[in-house]
């Protein structure tokens, strides 16, 4: 089997998809169920159909493009990722796994290979938490990690419910039907940019992911007392933003003092109400993103944040309410899929290292119903979630070669 990637075609497609965006190039913004997301999906489906794949969409919009195998009843092999992009993002996060997956399939078709098991290229809905405040919505539902009833309660900031939004995007049918049975996939492999600097620093072209870190996210609302910035004297203040400031530092401390560099905490959103120069903040909304490779340590950091919440509320006489949006367990990748990826690297004489994924991915949730592993390629300076995110064409090509080789062995 001779695997020849059409690198020019793939890079041209990545560039073309990047132009379907709500941000000015080179930035990419593609929020789930926006007209831009829908345009990008239609563009993608047209390419899959051109490659002879059978396209199916589920009730949440997860899109499956299937290369039917010679044994259609056998459990399929999956690959794929996402094309939604956070505001002011780059071109490669998720896209390399989706368009790279398509190129891997076309490459195998070109080589004359015929899979025994069907191969599904999956475009997952809303890997990014931008719209609904929770990431990996499509794969959470697919894997049964999130019950349909919980998804039905989701809404965006404007108050549009998930149910309304998916209906207007043309996705109908019960959300209950999205969950796939255990055993539906024999294997799942996701190609992705590293989103960190290690491969580039070590000058190694590929990383095989052995573990995916455990993410958690919280929403915190602080209620104090507003008033006139001149009239209310300091001893009488219950300033919600000052309480938030203390809490943010405690959240940082919770990660810094965990005893491991793997614990990371981020307050990415801080909304202040009423947000006027001469008005004491009466209400603040914060989001917390907390991750670790070790679940016990991640949970210990969560407990420390909880203790800080209680003591700051008491000290400053404000109300601080915390809602856990998600607190997911880490995933261990499958030794068998790791072995398939390693063998593919060796066959093509490509050096690789084992890696931990500190970002979360749809693979985290696919691991609940199928053996998974991920393949990382370098990205310049480790940059991601920013417009200057960049992966070199030769690195993308190497990733696609190994993905194609692995899909061939797993589907045989
Ligand atoms: C995914 O985009 C993440 O935030 O890890
Ligand atoms: Mn991302
Ligand atoms: Mn991603």
């Amino acid at each position: 089997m001779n695997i020849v990637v059409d690198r020019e075609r793939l890079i041209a497609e990545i560039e073309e998809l990047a132009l379907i965006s709500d941000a000015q190039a080179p930035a990419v913004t593609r929020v789930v169920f926006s007209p831009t997301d829908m345009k990008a999906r239609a563009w993608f489906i047209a390419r899959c159909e051109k490659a002879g794949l059978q396209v199916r969409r589920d009730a949440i919009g997860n899109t499956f493009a299937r290369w039917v195998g010679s044994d259609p009843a056998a459990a399929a092999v999956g690959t794929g990722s996402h094309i939604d992009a956070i505001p002011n993002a780059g071109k490669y996060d998720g896209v390399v796994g989706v368009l790279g997956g398509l190129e891997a399939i076309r490459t195998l078709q070109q080589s004359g290979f015929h899979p025994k098991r069907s191969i599904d290229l999956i475009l997952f809905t809303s890997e990014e938490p931008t719209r609904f405040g929770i990431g990996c919505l499509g794969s959470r539902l697919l894997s049964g990690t999130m019950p349909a009833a919980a998804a039905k309660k989701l809404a965006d900031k404007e108050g549009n419910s998930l149910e309304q939004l998916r209906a207007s995007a043309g996705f109908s049918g019960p959300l209950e039907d999205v969950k796939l049975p255990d055993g539906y996939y024999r294997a799942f492999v996701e190609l992705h940019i590293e989103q960190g600097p290690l491969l580039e620093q070590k000058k190694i072209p590929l990383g095989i992911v052995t573990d995916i870190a455990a993410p958690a996210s919280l929403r915190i609302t602080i209620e104090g007392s507003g008033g006139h910035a001149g009239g209310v004297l300091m001893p009488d203040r219950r300033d919600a933003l000052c309480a938030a400031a203390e809490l943010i530092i405690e959240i940082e401390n919770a990660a810094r003092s965990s005893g491991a560099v793997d614990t990371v905490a981020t307050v990415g959103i801080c909304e202040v109400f009423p947000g006027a120069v001469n008005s004491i903040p009466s209400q603040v909304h914060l989001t917390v993103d907390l991750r670790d490779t070790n679940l016990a340590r991640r949970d210990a950091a969560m407990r420390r944040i909880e203790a800080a919440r209680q003591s700051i509320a008491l000290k400053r006489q404000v109300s601080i309410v915390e809602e856990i949006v998600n607190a997911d367990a880490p995933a261990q990748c499958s030794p068998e899929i790791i072995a398939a990826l390693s063998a593919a690297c060796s066959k093509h004489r490509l050096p690789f290292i084992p890696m931990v994924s500190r970002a979360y991915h749809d693979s985290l949730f696919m691991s609940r119903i199928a053996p998974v592993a991920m393949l990382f390629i370098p990205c310049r300076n480790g940059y991601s979630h920013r417009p200057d995110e960049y992966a070199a064409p030769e690195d993308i090509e190497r990733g696609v070669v190994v993905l194609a080789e692995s899909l061939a062995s797993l589907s045989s």
Side-chain angles (χ1 to χ4, degrees):
M1 190 175 58
N2 193 17
I3 293 182
V4 183
V5 172
D6 187 340
R7 190 210 280 189
E8 279 66 42
R9 170 174 60 185
L10 174 55
I11 300 303
E13 285 177 339
I14 292 172
E15 294 296 329
E16 201 178 329
L17 180 54
L19 295 176
I20 308 177
S21 161
D22 285 321
Q24 206 172 354
V28 179
T29 299
R30 244 185 335 258
V31 177
V32 66
F33 298 150
S34 63
T36 303
D37 177 40
M38 299 318 294
K39 193 172 161 194
R41 287 165 180 262
W43 177 93
F44 167 69
I45 288 172
R47 258 147 199 83
C48 292
E49 286 174 344
K50 193 165 170 222
L53 308 181
Q54 288 181 7
V55 177
R56 158 178 98 81
R57 306 178 318 166
D58 70 13
I60 192 70
N62 291 317
T63 301
F64 307 76
R66 174 162 289 205
W67 183 10
V68 180
S70 60
D71 183 0
V77 171
T79 188
S81 195
H82 62 101
I83 61 165
D84 62 327
I86 67 163
N88 208 38
K91 298 173 189 167
Y92 302 91
D93 174 8
V95 167
V96 164
V98 173
L99 295 183
L102 176 59
E103 184 56 30
I105 289 174
R106 288 186 302 217
T107 297
L108 289 174
Q109 289 172 335
Q110 188 69 30
S111 76
F113 172 79
H114 293 287
K116 175 169 158 278
R117 296 175 185 280
S118 298
I119 299 179
D120 271 355
L121 171 61
I122 311 176
L123 183 159
F124 293 98
T125 286
S126 196
E127 191 267 354
E128 301 290 6
T130 314
R131 188 154 205 173
F132 297 109
I134 184 160
C136 298
L137 194 51
S139 51
R140 281 178 194 274
L141 283 162
L142 259 189
S143 59
T145 314
M146 175 185 262
K152 284 179 196 165
K153 292 192 191 135
L154 294 173
D156 68 7
K157 257 173 86 176
E158 284 72 44
N160 306 301
S161 71
L162 171 68
E163 287 300 74
Q164 287 165 342
L165 287 165
R166 76 176 174 104
S168 43
F171 301 119
S172 55
L175 284 181
E176 286 75 6
D177 291 353
V178 172
K179 173 161 173 16
L180 294 175
D182 281 4
Y184 186 89
Y185 284 115
R186 158 81 184 77
F188 180 79
V189 189
E190 182 172 359
L191 172 66
H192 207 282
I193 57 168
E194 180 197 341
Q195 303 182 290
L198 294 181
L199 289 173
E200 187 184 56
Q201 283 167 5
K202 292 180 192 292
K203 297 190 171 38
I204 302 276
L206 293 160
I208 297 181
V209 175
T210 56
D211 296 89
I212 305 175
S217 77
L218 316 173
R219 269 192 214 113
I220 295 180
T221 301
I222 305 175
E223 292 263 4
S225 180
H228 196 286
V232 183
L233 297 178
M234 298 316 279
D236 301 326
R237 294 215 179 182
R238 292 167 50 232
D239 184 322
L241 184 56
C242 291
E246 268 197 56
L247 185 57
I248 291 169
I249 295 300
E250 280 308 312
I251 291 166
E252 185 187 40
N253 287 339
R256 281 191 189 274
S257 64
S258 81
V261 290
D262 292 329
T263 324
V264 287
T266 307
V267 175
I269 295 178
C270 176
E271 288 168 345
V272 181
F273 183 82
V277 173
N278 54 355
S279 179
I280 300 163
S282 60
Q283 197 181 77
V284 171
H285 294 282
L286 303 177
T287 59
V288 183
D289 179 310
L290 177 64
R291 310 178 189 210
D292 204 316
T293 48
N294 177 295
L295 186 61
R297 212 168 42 215
R298 197 277 316 274
D299 286 345
M302 271 177 89
R303 284 195 295 277
R304 185 167 165 169
I305 293 170
E306 170 57 17
R309 176 189 78 78
Q310 289 184 17
S311 73
I312 293 166
L314 193 66
K315 186 174 82 181
R316 289 189 165 266
Q317 290 299 293
V318 295
S319 134
I320 309 183
V321 176
E322 177 185 297
E323 181 200 346
I324 298 179
V325 181
N326 61 285
D328 299 298
Q332 263 105 48
C333 293
S334 148
E336 193 194 343
I337 317 291
I338 291 173
L341 287 167
S342 313
C345 288
S346 304
K347 183 165 172 190
H348 291 270
R349 299 181 196 285
L350 292 168
F352 65 91
I353 48 169
M355 301 194 77
V356 168
S357 171
R358 292 164 196 286
Y360 58 73
H361 299 281
D362 294 301
S363 290
L364 177 65
F365 299 99
M366 290 305 279
S367 77
R368 317 298 194 217
I369 54 162
V372 306
M374 293 186 72
L375 184 64
F376 277 177
I377 58 167
C379 54
R380 190 164 62 200
N381 298 326
Y383 291 166
S384 185
H385 284 187
R386 44 188 280 180
D388 51 357
E389 178 179 88
Y390 177 76
E394 54 277 20
D395 285 324
I396 298 174
E397 180 176 357
R398 284 189 271 262
V400 173
V401 166
V402 172
L403 179 64
E405 191 71 60
S406 311
L407 291 176
S409 74
L410 292 165
S411 64
S412 292

